[in-house]
Amino acid sequence: MSSPIIITILTDFGIRDGYVAAMNGIILGINRNVTLVDISHEVPPRDVGHGAFVLGTTYQYFSPDAIHIAVVDPGVGTSRRALLVITPGGRFLAPDNGLLTYVMRAHFRPDTGDTSTGAGFMEPVETEVPRGCSAYELTEREYWRHPVSDTFHGRDIFAPVAAHLSLGLAPEKLGERIGEVSCLNIFPHARRGDILEGRILFVDRFGNLATNVRPSQVGANDLEVEIGGTRVRGLAVSFAEGEGLRVLVGSHGYLEIAEKNGSAALRLSASVGTQLTVRAAGARPAG
Amino acid sequence: MSSPIIITILTDFGIRDGYVAAMNGIILGINRNVTLVDISHEVPPRDVGHGAFVLGTTYQYFSPDAIHIAVVDPGVGTSRRALLVITPGGRFLAPDNGLLTYVMRAHFRPDTGDTSTGAGFMEPVETEVPRGCSAYELTEREYWRHPVSDTFHGRDIFAPVAAHLSLGLAPEKLGERIGEVSCLNIFPHARRGDILEGRILFVDRFGNLATNVRPSQVGANDLEVEIGGTRVRGLAVSFAEGEGLRVLVGSHGYLEIAEKNGSAALRLSASVGTQLTVRAAGARPAG
Amino acid sequence: MSSPIIITILTDFGIRDGYVAAMNGIILGINRNVTLVDISHEVPPRDVGHGAFVLGTTYQYFSPDAIHIAVVDPGVGTSRRALLVITPGGRFLAPDNGLLTYVMRAHFRPDTGDTSTGAGFMEPVETEVPRGCSAYELTEREYWRHPVSDTFHGRDIFAPVAAHLSLGLAPEKLGERIGEVSCLNIFPHARRGDILEGRILFVDRFGNLATNVRPSQVGANDLEVEIGGTRVRGLAVSFAEGEGLRVLVGSHGYLEIAEKNGSAALRLSASVGTQLTVRAAGARPAG
């Protein structure tokens, strides 16, 4: 028996109601020899941005042949497409609503990806599939569970398709190749001199605030973040040193704002989309 | 090594406290070659009806040789019996308090199962074990963990018994066969002409309201549901189309009331047991 | 292929954010042939005492060669040490902050362990590693993931070290042996005649209150517990019999205070650290 393929599942289904278990059962019924891993099932209901961030900051810790199912799907049963996206870092099954934003972004070339689109923050934008990746619209009903519920494609489409993929089915069998998929607009909006205008991308369980600014974008340790009238200077190393608010490089690789023994989100009344500025006191990146 | 048997676990233990992990450890100590799957551990504390619904709408996605442990057990340590029930669709270990209601109901013949009993909604009723199924009272202490805690039969009785079953132990070794088990009264109460009086059976994480009415019972798409003075007409296809409240065929196979981007439970102040009527405008089922 | 080693994980990370999944991915990337079990990820944020109790009352249900990762780590990124502790009952990876209190306590000799230290309740105390156990400070960066995040040692240190251990790596390869580790002061404070002064150690999901008093310490069934001005007499057998508050021997092996169909924690406004007295009406233990 060959080494089992890993199938991960991310949803907003919670774990009270058995929806995730149904997906597990369907998968194991088609291929018993898989390793199932939960990414998260507590994505806030219908919060595609949260699910996209969690998936995009987690999948790289898994083998590139892993299959990742992501279902945060308020449009289930409408004409939104169901996707298979294959990247050098993993295979992804998800509705076409922005859930794969961070997965795709990792493969954009800088000259095509990192531009403003005119869309508002976190709004979906049709985006070209990056070079080295491929995308398919799932249309072949032969690999689905029937009857297909209009409200639970996780169980009836994504789970069985993942199981068939794990058995070695070629992606071309699942549907037509497509050239564009939806991505959320998560890019910084403007740079004014040495000031970068950013946003909060993600709030974790501890109330830590991940921004959409990477340390390399400001290029200096002597930075100053302003958010909601509050200024935080310098780059801290840990959650524990000193007191109060601090900016540090979070485990996701973004600048992150945290509060010692507390919640920066509560302290700053901040949430996803809250604006901030980052000033690199000791550096003026080419603007 | 043969393909591992699936053992699922459903409880109201939550996942803060290590109770489920203890069950996992006991099972793996007896049989390392099993596949463990969580059905739910966030059943609301002591809510047998919730647990029964989740189990009853999930087990069918697993192999018929799977073993399902269900522990929502406010009567643990009293004289309530501990059960093994074997059906063509799975093997079940649970206290005798109604947790297997939906599992058993799937095997009732229409002429015996679908009748009013005089019991109130969700009250337990002693019910004959359906033909094709068998039930045993767990009494053989040889297959339990000792000492047996009076407050945690999940760890000390159900988990080790499941592990022994997964190794091929004959059910007769576990206790005496019995003829009746407790089921909750979940049946509709009355049909008046073309109006069916139903109840809310289950509220999921999204606030969607599953009723105890199956689409086949009303036999028409042009239906009208009335609940708490609010009327909803027609059968919708998805959560996303249109606005506000809609009735659709939920993924569990029951008529379900949902609110677009919201909670029907909050909108309607509805919960398990809330009454509703369904009128099939275009059909008058033989009544 | 040999039987897979069990690796358990306990954290306060929650399951919304993908932190636990990242640890799973890292482990499976180093050793695909492990059995992963979640102990708990809903330890209240930064609550080392809760995590310690859950770990200490769960690990004994697993094989002694299991590897247990515990990460409730408010001091991550500071100078607090990262530990491997090996006991006859299991192998443990955790920050040196008291998470292994109950694990170690199981191996203390009565004459060294069960004494007052002058420290306040639940305060950390440097404690000699018990005979039969060994402890190592994790320092060998060769077995870590790089770059090491200053805020997520679960992913970058504990997970990869656990995976390497599961492959058979000798503990000496991971760092230097040490003689003392931090334990929380969980011992009863005083015994006055036949009265034992205890504390609440742990509050579970149901609001049941586990005390730090073992039944053997009072040695009588005819006991009386007083907590916050409320007295409860006698030892009950189950959660269900009678009405209201009762004292029973909890599944963790400690005296436990529970409320029928309710929460003793709410009823008594009690939480971890709340004081209580236990009087063994029928026995006067040598004091």
Side-chain angles (χ1 to χ4, degrees), chain C residues 88-110:
Chain C
R91 293 179 279 176
F92 301 86
L93 293 160
D96 184 19
N97 63 7
L99 266 176
L100 302 184
T101 300
Y102 297 86
V103 167
M104 308 267 294
R105 194 188 187 193
H107 301 281
F108 287 148
R109 286 168 298 155

Tab-separated table of all heavy atoms in Angstrom, chain C residues 88-110:
chain	number	residue	atom	x	y	z
C	88	PRO	N	7.891	7.285	32.861
C	88	PRO	CA	7.460	5.921	32.507
C	88	PRO	C	6.108	5.895	31.800
C	88	PRO	O	5.762	4.896	31.169
C	88	PRO	CB	7.371	5.221	33.881
C	88	PRO	CG	8.276	6.016	34.774
C	88	PRO	CD	8.152	7.442	34.293
C	89	GLY	N	5.328	6.988	31.861
C	89	GLY	CA	4.000	7.005	31.268
C	89	GLY	C	3.891	7.726	29.948
C	89	GLY	O	2.820	7.732	29.336
C	90	GLY	N	4.977	8.347	29.480
C	90	GLY	CA	4.878	9.061	28.217
C	90	GLY	C	6.037	10.018	28.036
C	90	GLY	O	6.823	10.264	28.963
C	91	ARG	N	6.126	10.564	26.823
C	91	ARG	CA	7.151	11.558	26.504
C	91	ARG	C	6.459	12.888	26.236
C	91	ARG	O	5.451	12.926	25.532
C	91	ARG	CB	7.934	11.094	25.272
C	91	ARG	CG	8.744	9.846	25.564
C	91	ARG	CD	9.499	9.391	24.334
C	91	ARG	NE	8.661	8.631	23.411
C	91	ARG	CZ	9.064	8.189	22.214
C	91	ARG	NH1	10.280	8.466	21.785
C	91	ARG	NH2	8.251	7.480	21.451
C	92	PHE	N	6.993	13.977	26.773
C	92	PHE	CA	6.288	15.256	26.778
C	92	PHE	C	7.176	16.370	26.244
C	92	PHE	O	8.329	16.500	26.658
C	92	PHE	CB	5.846	15.591	28.210
C	92	PHE	CG	4.939	14.548	28.790
C	92	PHE	CD1	5.453	13.423	29.429
C	92	PHE	CD2	3.567	14.642	28.630
C	92	PHE	CE1	4.619	12.435	29.924
C	92	PHE	CE2	2.718	13.663	29.118
C	92	PHE	CZ	3.246	12.555	29.768
C	93	LEU	N	6.623	17.174	25.362
C	93	LEU	CA	7.304	18.356	24.841
C	93	LEU	C	6.467	19.565	25.222
C	93	LEU	O	5.272	19.633	24.895
C	93	LEU	CB	7.439	18.259	23.327
C	93	LEU	CG	8.375	17.141	22.845
C	93	LEU	CD1	8.097	16.789	21.396
C	93	LEU	CD2	9.833	17.572	23.028
C	94	ALA	N	7.080	20.540	25.886
C	94	ALA	CA	6.305	21.676	26.386
C	94	ALA	C	7.245	22.800	26.782
C	94	ALA	O	8.424	22.556	27.061
C	94	ALA	CB	5.487	21.252	27.613
C	95	PRO	N	6.741	24.028	26.827
C	95	PRO	CA	7.528	25.089	27.437
C	95	PRO	C	7.656	24.828	28.943
C	95	PRO	O	6.808	24.145	29.536
C	95	PRO	CB	6.707	26.351	27.162
C	95	PRO	CG	5.316	25.870	26.929
C	95	PRO	CD	5.439	24.504	26.334
C	96	ASP	N	8.692	25.399	29.543
C	96	ASP	CA	8.968	25.158	30.966
C	96	ASP	C	8.202	26.171	31.813
C	96	ASP	O	8.780	27.075	32.416
C	96	ASP	CB	10.483	25.292	31.202
C	96	ASP	CG	10.855	24.957	32.642
C	96	ASP	OD1	10.042	24.288	33.323
C	96	ASP	OD2	11.937	25.373	33.071
C	97	ASN	N	6.904	26.001	31.881
C	97	ASN	CA	6.086	26.994	32.585
C	97	ASN	C	5.030	26.376	33.500
C	97	ASN	O	4.105	27.059	33.918
C	97	ASN	CB	5.414	27.924	31.563
C	97	ASN	CG	4.465	27.179	30.639
C	97	ASN	OD1	4.198	25.989	30.833
C	97	ASN	ND2	3.941	27.860	29.635
C	98	GLY	N	5.155	25.087	33.763
C	98	GLY	CA	4.181	24.455	34.650
C	98	GLY	C	3.205	23.538	33.937
C	98	GLY	O	2.398	22.866	34.587
C	99	LEU	N	3.266	23.480	32.617
C	99	LEU	CA	2.332	22.631	31.878
C	99	LEU	C	2.463	21.152	32.252
C	99	LEU	O	1.515	20.385	32.091
C	99	LEU	CB	2.565	22.760	30.372
C	99	LEU	CG	1.718	23.780	29.636
C	99	LEU	CD1	2.152	23.848	28.181
C	99	LEU	CD2	0.232	23.429	29.721
C	100	LEU	N	3.627	20.755	32.749
C	100	LEU	CA	3.833	19.346	33.057
C	100	LEU	C	3.644	19.040	34.549
C	100	LEU	O	4.016	17.978	35.042
C	100	LEU	CB	5.226	18.913	32.589
C	100	LEU	CG	5.478	19.133	31.090
C	100	LEU	CD1	6.842	18.594	30.708
C	100	LEU	CD2	4.396	18.475	30.252
C	101	THR	N	3.014	19.975	35.263
C	101	THR	CA	2.831	19.832	36.710
C	101	THR	C	2.229	18.487	37.106
C	101	THR	O	2.763	17.772	37.953
C	101	THR	CB	1.908	20.963	37.219
C	101	THR	OG1	2.532	22.208	36.931
C	101	THR	CG2	1.646	20.826	38.706
C	102	TYR	N	1.105	18.129	36.494
C	102	TYR	CA	0.414	16.905	36.915
C	102	TYR	C	1.142	15.662	36.407
C	102	TYR	O	1.114	14.607	37.033
C	102	TYR	CB	-1.033	16.906	36.423
C	102	TYR	CG	-1.859	18.027	37.007
C	102	TYR	CD1	-1.876	19.284	36.411
C	102	TYR	CD2	-2.606	17.833	38.161
C	102	TYR	CE1	-2.623	20.322	36.950
C	102	TYR	CE2	-3.358	18.863	38.706
C	102	TYR	CZ	-3.369	20.104	38.090
C	102	TYR	OH	-4.103	21.122	38.630
C	103	VAL	N	1.771	15.790	35.260
C	103	VAL	CA	2.556	14.684	34.727
C	103	VAL	C	3.685	14.340	35.695
C	103	VAL	O	3.921	13.172	36.019
C	103	VAL	CB	3.146	15.078	33.353
C	103	VAL	CG1	4.214	14.087	32.916
C	103	VAL	CG2	2.033	15.203	32.320
C	104	MET	N	4.387	15.354	36.174
C	104	MET	CA	5.499	15.137	37.093
C	104	MET	C	4.990	14.662	38.448
C	104	MET	O	5.584	13.792	39.080
C	104	MET	CB	6.258	16.447	37.298
C	104	MET	CG	6.660	17.123	36.022
C	104	MET	SD	8.309	16.648	35.522
C	104	MET	CE	9.201	17.390	36.878
C	105	ARG	N	3.908	15.265	38.903
C	105	ARG	CA	3.425	14.968	40.244
C	105	ARG	C	3.134	13.482	40.427
C	105	ARG	O	3.299	12.929	41.514
C	105	ARG	CB	2.147	15.768	40.510
C	105	ARG	CG	1.806	15.766	41.976
C	105	ARG	CD	0.467	16.375	42.272
C	105	ARG	NE	0.290	16.476	43.707
C	105	ARG	CZ	-0.850	16.736	44.300
C	105	ARG	NH1	-1.913	16.963	43.589
C	105	ARG	NH2	-0.924	16.776	45.606
C	106	ALA	N	2.711	12.830	39.347
C	106	ALA	CA	2.400	11.411	39.424
C	106	ALA	C	3.625	10.604	39.827
C	106	ALA	O	3.498	9.458	40.255
C	106	ALA	CB	1.860	10.928	38.072
C	107	HIS	N	4.804	11.197	39.678
C	107	HIS	CA	6.028	10.442	39.946
C	107	HIS	C	6.785	10.924	41.178
C	107	HIS	O	7.848	10.422	41.479
C	107	HIS	CB	6.937	10.494	38.707
C	107	HIS	CG	6.259	9.935	37.510
C	107	HIS	ND1	6.148	8.588	37.286
C	107	HIS	CD2	5.578	10.532	36.496
C	107	HIS	CE1	5.466	8.376	36.182
C	107	HIS	NE2	5.104	9.538	35.681
C	108	PHE	N	6.247	11.939	41.866
C	108	PHE	CA	6.898	12.380	43.100
C	108	PHE	C	6.793	11.289	44.155
C	108	PHE	O	5.778	10.622	44.279
C	108	PHE	CB	6.219	13.641	43.658
C	108	PHE	CG	6.503	14.872	42.871
C	108	PHE	CD1	5.550	15.879	42.773
C	108	PHE	CD2	7.715	15.053	42.224
C	108	PHE	CE1	5.788	17.036	42.063
C	108	PHE	CE2	7.969	16.212	41.512
C	108	PHE	CZ	7.001	17.195	41.420
C	109	ARG	N	7.822	11.168	44.964
C	109	ARG	CA	7.683	10.368	46.179
C	109	ARG	C	6.912	11.204	47.193
C	109	ARG	O	7.089	12.433	47.255
C	109	ARG	CB	9.070	10.024	46.746
C	109	ARG	CG	9.800	8.960	45.935
C	109	ARG	CD	11.248	8.897	46.381
C	109	ARG	NE	11.918	10.174	46.134
C	109	ARG	CZ	12.979	10.604	46.800
C	109	ARG	NH1	13.487	9.865	47.765
C	109	ARG	NH2	13.544	11.768	46.512
C	110	PRO	N	6.084	10.570	47.964
C	110	PRO	CA	5.233	11.333	48.881
C	110	PRO	C	6.037	12.288	49.759
C	110	PRO	O	5.579	13.390	50.068
C	110	PRO	CB	4.569	10.260	49.734
C	110	PRO	CG	4.620	9.023	48.906
C	110	PRO	CD	5.850	9.123	48.039
